[in-house]
Amino acid sequence: MAMAKHKYAVCEECGSEFLKSSSKMKALCPECSHRIYGYPNCSHVFENGRCIYCHWDGSRSGYIGSTEKAKSHNKNAGI
C-alpha cells in the first residue's frame, strides 16, 4: 500500500491528486502544467470523477479559472 502512495502527488496549484508519471512537472498536475506553462496536457477520459490516465479530478484553482475567463472574454471581444 505504501508504494501506491509514491505514485501520486497533490498538485500545488489546484489541489487535485495526480499520477506523478503523467506530468512533466513534479509539483503540478498535467492540466495545471499545461494551463500555466504550456506543457503537453493529458487527453482526459473521466470515469468515477477522475481521469483514467492521470488521476486528475477536474479541479481548477482560482488563478486558472480567472485566466480561462480572460481568454474567453478576449476571444469574444475579438482581441
Side-chain angles (χ1 to χ4, degrees):
M1 186 76 160
M3 278 182 54
K5 286 268 186 205
H6 295 293
K7 289 179 162 183
Y8 298 96
V10 175
C11 178
E12 290 182 0
E13 181 66 28
C14 72
S16 175
E17 189 174 66
F18 69 96
L19 188 60
K20 287 180 183 179
S21 62
S22 69
S23 182
K24 297 287 185 190
M25 298 188 76
K26 184 167 65 169
L28 297 177
C29 69
E31 186 70 21
C32 290
S33 65
H34 172 72
R35 299 285 174 197
I36 298 170
Y37 297 105
Y39 283 100
N41 201 353
C42 176
S43 298
H44 302 300
V45 174
F46 285 88
E47 249 179 51
N48 300 319
R50 291 207 174 261
C51 176
I52 61 172
Y53 300 118
C54 69
H55 200 65
W56 178 59
D57 67 4
S59 294
R60 297 219 192 249
S61 68
Y63 171 73
I64 289 183
S66 67
T67 60
E68 291 300 306
K69 285 180 187 175
K71 282 181 189 175
S72 176
H73 173 74
N74 290 344
K75 183 178 179 183
N76 292 337
I79 299 173

